[in-house]
Each structure stands twice: as C-alpha cells, then as structure tokens.
C-alpha cells in the first residue's frame, strides 16, 4: 500500500478509544466489561509508554492520606472530586489487587506495588483486556476527525514494517479520547490534538508545565561538581516567615533545581513567576535542628579547622547542602549569626521553568465548561475525554495516576451509557 492510499473500515464500530495510557486503558476496560467491542488506538509502537516511565521511580499509584486532604491536592477539585468519589485511593488498591498485584504504603504515605515496577501490572492489565476482546492497534496516529450523522469518522496515519506508510479511516458511534498532555512527547504525549479540537470549537487552556524543574544560573563549579546530587533532609517554603515548611528531598540539576519538593511547589512557583516575573523560594537546610541549636554549635571554638570541616564534624553538614549554601550565600560564613540564619532560611530566586516537554505532567487542556459530568464534549455528543487532556493538575505522590485512572473510568462508563441510549449493538 502506498502513502497515497487509504484503507477504509466499512463497518461502523461501536466505540474507538484513542490513547493507550492509564486513562484510555481504563475507559476501554469499562466498555469491554459492558459487552462492547473496543478498538484501542495508540500512536506509539507499544502501549503505556509514559506509565512504564513512571515505574522507573517505583510506580507511585496513589496516596494513603485522609481522603479530604487527598482531594485538596488537585488544582480543580470541583472537576476531579466526582471522579475520585467513585474511584479513589481505596478503590484503586482494590482494583490493583484484582490484577494479582499487591500494594504497600511507604513511610511517606505513598502507595506502590510490592514489585515497585509498572511492567507486571501493565502486563496483567493488558492480558485481561485482550481476554475480554479489546483490539489494540499500535502505530496509529490520529490525524483527522469528521463528525457524521451516525457517528464519527476518524483517520489515522499508520506506519508499519509490513504496510509502510498509509492512512486508515474508520467510523465509530462513540469515541473516547485519552491523548495525554503536552510533555514527554517522545513517549506519545505531544499535545498535537489541541489544534484538531480547536478546529471543532472545543475550548482548551494552553498547556503549562506542572511538576516541573526550574532554571537557575549556577556557577561552573556548582554545575560541574554537584549537578545530579540530591538535597536530602531539607525543607522548602515560599514564605520566609511561614510556619509551614514542607520537608523532603530535591535535586540540583545542570540547569537549576528539581525533585519532589520543587514539583510539589511548582504550581505556586509558576503563578508567582507569571505574576511578578520571579519567585523567591526558601530552603531550610537542617529542618531537624533549631536555629538556637545551630547558633550554639557555631559559637564553639573552631581552632585550626576550616569552616567546611567544622560544619561537617559538628553539624554533619556537607555535600550538596553545603554547596548550595555557599553558592547562594557566599558571605554568610564570615558571621556565625548570618550563617545560622542562612542554614535555616536560604533564599533562592527563580525566573523560569524548564521547557514544557521536560515537565512530569502538564496543566491546561480542555476546560470544564466544555464537558458534561460524564466527560462528554457538550458540542460533540458521543465524544468523551479523559486524563491529562483535561484542565487539571496535581503534584507527584500518586495523585496524577489516581486521577487519570478515575477520569478514564468516568469517561468509559459515560460512553457505555451513551451507546445504550442510542441503541448501539455490542
């Protein structure tokens, strides 16, 4: 088949799910359990690529904190809360157990599969879906959409070793879109669908980085010696005088700062950069020691020891934390009082986030006003959307995957209701 040729599937499919990440797979599961034939399309050579990438860090599935606190982690709780009420952390753990995968809760409250890998869970899930008859079509990139009186015509660009380059056109009564956000394009989430939906008069907020690192102009010494080094047992705040500091870890990168503490604060940091042109963050480099205790130790005679050796021996303060202190407050070491204050409240000014494609996730996407409670597009009956395509975001910690799965479940069940109402045969 040549590039110019188009293969057409003559029969009307009940439903097409486009995007085989967590949201798309969950939508497909709801449809197949209801007895419908499901054709699942994905642009990549294999499904769940970003899901597998999340497994590199142990696959944090959800969080064990109180549900009321859990729900506050989302940028648009009004949108996300209904999804979580039907598929929250407890439901997710039970669902994972149904795949033969046990979970455990880490010391931070995060929930992981016992293997701390994504691949066993994904294999078990795909096996179950295929047993129920889900047909998976990889290397199918969605390139065109034309609403029809009896459904939707969808065109895919297909590249396979057997057939070369071609296009495939299908018609489906209902469509579930789960095409991801705008980051990690090499894993399939490139945000190209935004243009297609804009042409269909679907309003979407521009993508913005979420769970993102930030740029900082390190000195050459800092960049060469400490890039990639973790900042362990530190705390972060966006207010110097705030009693609320979040404790955890971060990382010095070649370009600036990243890691859990930064990702958790990234939404607020970005808002301040957009408002003021910069965001000031504050590090507590020894959150387990009071400033009084640090002052007392710094007042001890140092003898012939260098300051670095004195801090290392007396305060166990060295490595990346010490490097950060001297990078951001190089003169603090001349005065013990200034040094103590800098250790406990070290300011750093940030002006820009790392590029969108590097962000763990993205905010922006289809706005809530375009969607029904079942996540169907109001302007296009029969088309449902789920996952990072929608305008919400959340920090890392299990919140992202849980909401993606929950939205896929809502969209899939919405498609089931729609197909039943229009009398579609299974």
């Amino acid at each position: 088949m040549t590039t110019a040729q188009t293969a057409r599937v003559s029969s009307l499919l009940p439903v097409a799910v486009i995007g085989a990440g967590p949201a798309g797979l969950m939508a497909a599961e709801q449809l197949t359990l209801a007895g419908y034939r499901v054709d699942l399309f994905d642009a990549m050579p294999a499904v769940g690529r970003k899901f597998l990438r999340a497994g590199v860090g142990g696959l944090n599935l959800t969080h064990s904190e109180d549900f009321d606190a859990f729900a506050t982690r989302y940028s648009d709780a009004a949108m996300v809360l209904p999804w979580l009420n039907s598929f929250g952390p407890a439901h997710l753990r039970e669902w994972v157990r149904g795949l033969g995968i046990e979970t455990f809760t880490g010391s931070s409250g995060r929930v992981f599969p016992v293997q701390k890998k994504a691949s066993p869970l994904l294999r078990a899930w795909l096996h179950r879906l295929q047993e129920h008859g889900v047909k998976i079509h990889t290397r199918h990139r969605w390139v065109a959409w034309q609403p029809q009186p009896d459904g939707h015509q969808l065109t895919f660009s297909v590249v396979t070793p057997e057939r070369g380059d071609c296009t495939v056109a299908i018609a489906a009564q209902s469509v579930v879109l789960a095409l991801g956000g705008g980051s990690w394009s090499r894993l399939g989430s490139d945000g190209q669908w935004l243009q297609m939906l804009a042409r269909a008069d679907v309003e979407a907020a521009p993508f913005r980085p979420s769970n993102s690192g930030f740029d900082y102009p390190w000195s050459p010494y800092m960049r060469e010696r400490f890039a990639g080094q973790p900042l362990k047992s530190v705390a972060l705040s966006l207010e110097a005088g705030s009693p609320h500091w979040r404790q955890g870890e971060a990382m010095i990168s070649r370009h600036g700062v990243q890691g859990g503490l930064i990702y958790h604060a990234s939404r607020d940091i970005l808002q301040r950069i957009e408002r003021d042109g910069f965001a000031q963050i504050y590090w507590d480099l020894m959150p387990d020691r009071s400033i009084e205790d640090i002052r007392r130790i710094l007042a001890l005679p140092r003898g012939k020891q260098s300051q670095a050796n004195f801090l290392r021996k007396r305060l166990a303060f060295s490595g990346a934390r010490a490097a950060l202190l001297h990078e951001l407050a190089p003169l603090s070491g001349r005065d013990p009082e200034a040094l103590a204050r800098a250790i406990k409240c070290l300011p750093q000014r940030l002006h820009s986030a790392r590029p969108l494609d590097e962000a763990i996730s993205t905010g922006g996407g289809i706005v809530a006003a375009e969607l029904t409670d079942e996540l169907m597009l109001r302007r296009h009956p029969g088309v449902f959307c789920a996952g990072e395509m929608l305008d919400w975001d959340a920090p890392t910690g299990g919140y992202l995957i849980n909401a993606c799965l929950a939205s896929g479940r809502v969209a899939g069940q919405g498609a089931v209701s729609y197909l039943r109402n229009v009398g579609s045969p299974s």
Side-chain angles (χ1 to χ4, degrees), residues 85-109:
N85 282 331
S86 62
F87 197 76
H91 303 98
L92 190 154
R93 296 185 78 167
E94 186 62 30
W95 172 78
V96 169
R97 191 173 297 112
L99 290 169
I101 306 292
E102 294 298 324
T103 59
F104 75 96
T105 302
S107 58
S108 63

Side-chain angles (χ1 to χ4, degrees), residues 109-159:
R110 300 183 179 199
V111 176
F112 301 87
V114 291
Q115 301 97 329
K116 298 201 75 174
K117 294 180 180 178
S119 52
L121 191 156
L122 183 60
R123 280 197 301 268
W125 195 5
L126 291 175
H127 178 73
R128 186 165 75 180
L129 290 173
Q130 290 170 326
E131 276 193 331
H132 280 86
V134 174
K135 295 185 177 181
I136 299 174
H137 309 269
T138 56
R139 301 179 189 272
H140 281 61
R141 178 175 293 278
W142 184 43
V143 294
W145 166 36
Q146 182 63 50
Q148 302 288 336
D150 59 347
H152 305 270
Q153 180 172 302
L154 308 165
T155 303
F156 297 89
S157 173
V158 183
V159 180

Side-chain angles (χ1 to χ4, degrees), residues 265-278:
S266 63
R267 188 192 311 162
D268 291 333
I269 294 172
L270 280 166
Q271 288 174 349
R272 293 179 185 219
I273 290 174
E274 290 170 359
R275 184 190 68 201
D276 303 326
F278 69 93

Side-chain angles (χ1 to χ4, degrees), residues 22 26 60-63 67 70 74 80 83-93 392 397-409:
M26 181 59 83
N60 183 190
L61 291 166
T62 187
H63 202 285
F67 182 78
F70 185 90
Y74 295 89
V80 178
W83 317 341
L84 299 176
N85 282 331
S86 62
F87 197 76
H91 303 98
L92 190 154
R93 296 185 78 167
W392 62 276
Y399 308 104
L400 292 165
I401 290 179
N402 199 147
C404 283
L405 290 168
S407 68
R409 187 173 185 271

Side-chain angles (χ1 to χ4, degrees), residues 6-20:
T6 299
R8 297 186 182 276
V9 178
S10 57
S11 61
L12 180 67
L13 300 176
V15 61
V17 178
I18 307 178

Side-chain angles (χ1 to χ4, degrees), residues 284-351:
D284 182 344
L285 299 178
M286 301 198 76
D288 295 328
R289 282 186 181 267
S290 68
I291 192 168
E292 292 78 16
D293 189 31
I294 294 172
R295 284 173 178 146
R296 178 184 59 80
I297 292 173
L298 292 179
L300 297 173
R302 197 167 79 191
K304 294 183 179 181
Q305 295 181 90
S306 67
Q307 184 184 77
N309 278 334
F310 180 79
L311 292 174
R312 178 175 57 81
K313 292 179 179 180
R314 292 288 189 170
L315 285 172
F317 185 79
S318 61
R321 291 186 300 169
L324 185 66
L325 173 69
H326 294 301
E327 179 83 3
L328 300 180
L331 301 179
S332 62
R334 298 180 181 180
D335 175 12
E337 176 60 27
L339 181 57
R341 289 198 304 268
I343 288 173
K344 292 298 292 180
C345 188
L346 180 66
Q348 183 176 20
R349 182 168 288 197
L350 306 173
H351 291 90

